[in-house]
Amino acid sequence: MNLARVLKLTVISAMLVALAAGCASEPTDRRIGVAIEDTAISARVKAALAGDPDVKARDVQVETFRGVVQLSGFVDSPENVQRALDVARRVNGVREVKNALIVK
């Protein structure tokens, strides 16, 4: 085998290994930058809820994944559910808000 052919096969093999490694990641994997931004979004949403007199922020949990915020926990009325959703939607960086709040 000549050197050019060995080099060509080596390059092709390396490309296939890189391609396979890139495809092996889970769709739920997050890079550190995305995780940090999600944490910051959660903190901003929690602060916005705490600043709202109608929503009891300590009873509402906030989880963020790739800019999608899920609110869960308990509120006093259906109006407070809507208020919490509206407050969360206005926070910078929020792409979507999912409701898992329960009226107690």
Side-chain angles (χ1 to χ4, degrees):
M1 226 190 279
N2 64 18
L3 183 60
R5 185 173 173 150
V6 171
L7 186 57
K8 183 178 179 181
L9 288 174
T10 303
V11 170
I12 290 172
S13 297
M15 289 172 58
L16 288 174
V17 169
L19 181 62
C23 294
S25 67
E26 294 287 324
T28 57
D29 284 351
R30 295 191 295 174
R31 296 191 186 277
I32 190 71
V34 174
I36 291 171
E37 179 60 22
D38 283 344
T39 301
I41 290 170
S42 291
R44 290 192 300 265
V45 169
K46 194 72 170 166
L49 291 172
D52 189 281
D54 297 327
V55 180
K56 293 181 179 175
R58 61 184 165 80
D59 294 335
V60 177
Q61 288 76 48
V62 178
E63 294 182 43
T64 305
F65 183 76
R66 295 186 176 164
V68 177
V69 173
Q70 179 172 313
L71 301 180
S72 60
F74 299 94
V75 293
D76 293 331
S77 68
E79 293 80 18
N80 285 351
V81 170
Q82 191 58 50
R83 180 69 183 158
L85 295 173
D86 292 341
V87 168
R89 284 185 185 110
R90 289 194 305 262
V91 171
N92 186 32
V94 173
R95 291 186 17 230
E96 180 184 346
V97 178
K98 294 188 177 189
N99 176 23
L101 292 169
I102 299 170
V103 178
K104 55 180 172 174

